[in-house]
Amino acid sequence: MTDELYLPDQGDGSYRNPVLCCDYSDPDVIRVGDTYYMTASSFNYVPGLPILTSADLVNWRLVNYALPNIPEPGYEIPRHACGVWAPAIRWHDGFFYIYYGMPDEGIYMVRAADACGQWDAPKLVRAGKGLIDPCPFWDDDGRAYVIHAYANSRIGFKSRIGIFPMSADGTHAIGEDKFLFDGTANHPTIEGPKVYKRDGWYYIFAPAGGVATGWQTVLRSRRIDGEYEDHIVLRRGNSRVNGPHQGAWVTAADGSDWFIHFQSRGLYGRVTHLQPMAWQADGWPIIGEPVAGETYGTPVETWRKPSQTHQPPLSLQCSDDFADSLGLQWQFMGNWRADFYAVDGGLTLAALPAPNGILWNCPHVLTQKIAAPDFTAEVTLDARALQIGEQAGFGLIGGQYAYIALRRTAAGMRLVFVQSDGEAHQERVCEEIDAPAEQLALRMVLQPTGDDTARAAFAYQHQGDWRRFGEPFSPARHTWVGARMALFAMSLDGENHGGAGKFGPFRVTKA
């Protein structure tokens, strides 16, 4: 099944930004042969560490995940904003490596001979709270290092880049962590370092100034352990691209240089941009459209593609027939178990207990990212297998959320529209009627109201007519995560009654 909700490839040899109108936060990209590989933050959502591939840096396809579940205590429930932060992907000595930070646990590594195959179990490279944004580096002399940032929320400081040596096989730290660069004065909140070597110089690409208002900094030194010069290479300028934030330098097969990064877009999450990049005679790069009289660039809206290929324009997949397996676009909110779901010509979600009776606490909620500015999503729900005290439905989850659900009560089946309130996500029923049937089609339409805002309206179908249900809802991001569509079944009283919600094809089309 092919969705064409958002096409960055304009079909004439050019592209438009963002190249991924989707929440792939903290992207990192490498090229191996003729294929580009991307990974990104996944936080508490699993499977985690997405793997996307492209032939041209513009058209991307989600092909795999490197982390089936988070094998650390506590992730059997959703630990929102925790989990897997800001990974780096590298190809070294016949293996793909991904290093990622978990802000409460430490720095981890996974590896695989085939990025599209099975990845090894994670190895803890260095334990410690507040160690984030790791990037591995294998030097020409065989020595290996991890360069990283620090999370103020866990360690009590920020705006510094750190380094420690690791074993040549990349599995564990072999020396002390030390500060490499202090950006407090000129590059506050410097983070997300990506390390490269060029013409005898060590370069560290790192954003600074904060996600919403910052810039891209490049550091360089003749020694891996410094001292480092600093240079700003990309600013927002007069563009509409706030940030622009954390990303990766990659050289195309034709020798051209590119920089891929994210922009924070509210409910849409952190969308992915591609910028042209050029090295100057003084050994510093400029990213984006050069600014006359300046040593930095600004983000481009459209540009010629990195290379001319025969790959047709691609849009990320959103729809799912649930024929024999879940589409890769789906992720659970916490570590998943085999009893969460079944797929066999449809999707069955077990109505497992909801901690405190609210959706926000359920690991078994099945979610997918928003992948277009506006769209219509429809799904059929068969609630006949629900037991008393259970519900199943369709929602949009973010900093606030709303959903439409069929809920079986002692008095019969009810159709409810629910919204959450406040940081505790307390739920309130805003509209409720006797269900017109126990099998309904449900719909959500998302339409922009501004650059980074939108309204979602829910409806159900009865006797061939779509009937709006509940008031239009304004979704929002949650910390570093955009809003997500969600399918769910749950028990509201903390007991497992053995019921389930059964979902038919999930269709996402242009609004």
Side-chain angles (χ1 to χ4, degrees):
M1 181 186 305
T2 301
D3 297 322
E4 293 188 354
L5 299 174
Y6 179 86
L7 293 172
D9 191 328
Q10 300 193 104
D12 60 359
S14 67
Y15 70 92
R16 59 170 172 160
N17 273 319
V19 291
L20 286 170
C21 190
C22 194
D23 188 18
Y24 285 107
S25 178
D26 312 308
D28 193 31
V29 176
I30 59 171
R31 178 176 61 84
V32 179
D34 293 328
T35 302
Y36 300 95
Y37 297 86
M38 179 192 296
T39 191
S41 296
S42 48
F43 303 102
N44 55 287
Y45 294 90
V46 291
L49 290 175
I51 305 295
L52 296 91
T53 60
S54 175
D56 58 10
L57 288 172
V58 172
N59 297 285
W60 291 92
R61 184 183 300 278
L62 177 62
V63 297
N64 197 16
Y65 290 92
L67 193 67
N69 266 325
I70 301 174
E72 296 295 330
Y75 288 91
E76 66 279 358
I77 62 173
R79 292 182 59 188
H80 295 282
C82 299
V84 177
W85 287 19
I89 185 169
R90 292 293 181 268
W91 169 257
H92 173 70
D93 201 20
F95 286 93
F96 291 90
Y97 289 80
I98 297 178
Y99 284 69
Y100 60 95
M102 293 179 60
D104 297 302
E105 293 88 2
I107 290 172
Y108 293 79
M109 177 272 286
V110 293
R111 75 172 194 172
D114 177 5
C116 299
Q118 184 172 344
W119 289 69
D120 294 342
K123 294 185 182 296
L124 179 60
V125 178
R126 187 178 204 103
K129 281 185 176 290
L131 305 179
I132 58 169
D133 304 356
C135 181
F137 181 78
W138 286 268
D139 210 341
D140 301 331
D141 60 6
R143 296 180 180 179
Y145 306 88
V146 171
I147 291 86
H148 64 93
Y150 301 91
N152 183 58
S153 60
R154 274 40 173 216
I155 206 168
F157 62 85
K158 60 178 182 177
S159 303
R160 291 180 173 90
I161 301 297
I163 184 173
F164 62 82
M166 69 174 175
S167 58
D169 64 1
T171 60
H172 59 278
I174 58 172
E176 294 301 312
D177 187 39
K178 72 172 189 176
F179 294 145
L180 191 64
F181 180 81
D182 187 345
T184 304
N186 298 318
H187 301 286
T189 320
I190 193 167
E191 57 188 347
K194 297 295 185 292
V195 189
Y196 312 92
K197 194 173 185 179
R198 179 182 186 270
D199 293 341
W201 288 95
Y202 298 90
Y203 289 90
I204 300 176
F205 286 59
V211 168
T213 58
W215 54 88
Q216 291 292 332
T217 302
V218 170
L219 313 175
R220 76 174 183 184
S221 173
R222 289 291 188 182
R223 294 171 50 88
I224 186 67
D225 56 356
E227 297 181 353
Y228 279 85
E229 307 171 70
D230 60 283
H231 200 71
I232 295 175
V233 299
L234 177 66
R235 289 185 180 274
R236 176 177 185 170
N238 294 322
S239 78
R240 296 187 296 174
V241 182
N242 62 297
H245 215 69
Q246 185 168 335
W249 163 37
V250 62
T251 300
D254 64 4
S256 59
D257 293 297
W258 301 85
F259 187 73
I260 198 158
H261 66 90
F262 79 77
Q263 174 201 12
S264 183
R265 289 285 310 276
L267 81 130
Y268 296 106
R270 295 174 167 185
V271 301
T272 307
H273 288 245
L274 178 66
Q275 305 297 336
M277 178 177 137
W279 289 94
Q280 308 304 297
D282 60 4
W284 292 105
I286 287 181
I287 297 174
E289 181 77 57
V291 177
E294 302 290 351
T295 59
Y296 57 82
T298 58
V300 302
E301 290 192 15
T302 62
W303 202 257
R304 62 185 178 278
K305 289 175 58 177
S307 60
Q308 300 304 309
T309 69
H310 297 294
Q311 177 174 318
L314 289 177
S315 178
L316 288 174
Q317 182 174 320
C318 297
S319 298
D320 198 343
D321 283 336
F322 304 127
D324 52 17
S325 62
L326 278 178
L328 287 172
Q329 67 268 32
W330 297 103
Q331 294 173 289
F332 287 102
M333 286 208 311
N335 279 352
W336 65 275
R337 306 190 309 263
D339 65 341
F340 281 10
Y341 75 101
V343 176
D344 184 11
L347 170 68
T348 299
L349 292 178
L352 299 174
N356 300 323
I358 62 174
L359 194 69
W360 188 248
N361 296 332
C362 293
H364 48 281
V365 173
L366 190 62
T367 74
Q368 71 162 281
K369 306 171 190 286
I370 291 172
D374 58 298
F375 58 87
T376 297
E378 296 177 3
V379 67
T380 59
L381 169 61
D382 181 346
R384 289 176 296 176
L386 289 179
Q387 305 300 305
I388 293 174
E390 296 176 343
Q391 67 175 4
F394 174 36
L396 187 64
I397 298 182
Q400 305 87 36
Y401 59 86
Y403 63 78
I404 184 173
L406 287 169
R407 178 179 293 180
R408 189 178 297 283
T409 71
M413 188 71 77
R414 305 284 285 172
L415 182 67
V416 298
F417 177 74
V418 176
Q419 289 196 34
S420 74
D421 290 321
E423 293 184 2
H425 297 281
Q426 294 301 311
E427 296 182 1
R428 56 188 174 89
V429 176
C430 300
E431 190 169 343
E432 182 176 7
I433 61 172
D434 287 329
E438 295 194 353
Q439 295 173 276
L440 289 177
L442 307 178
R443 170 188 281 178
M444 184 192 73
V445 178
L446 185 76
Q447 294 185 313
T449 54
D451 285 345
D452 301 328
T453 59
R455 301 279 280 181
F458 289 87
Y460 67 94
Q461 190 179 48
H462 183 56
Q463 296 179 342
D465 295 325
W466 284 102
R467 304 181 182 188
R468 197 175 79 176
F469 195 62
E471 291 299 314
F473 162 71
S474 296
R477 68 182 178 92
H478 167 66
T479 56
W480 305 284
V481 180
R484 288 171 171 245
M485 293 182 285
L487 301 178
F488 62 89
M490 55 194 280
S491 164
L492 297 167
D493 61 7
E495 300 295 328
N496 188 348
H497 303 287
K502 298 184 178 182
F503 297 86
F506 187 81
R507 295 278 184 265
V508 185
T509 57
K510 292 181 180 180

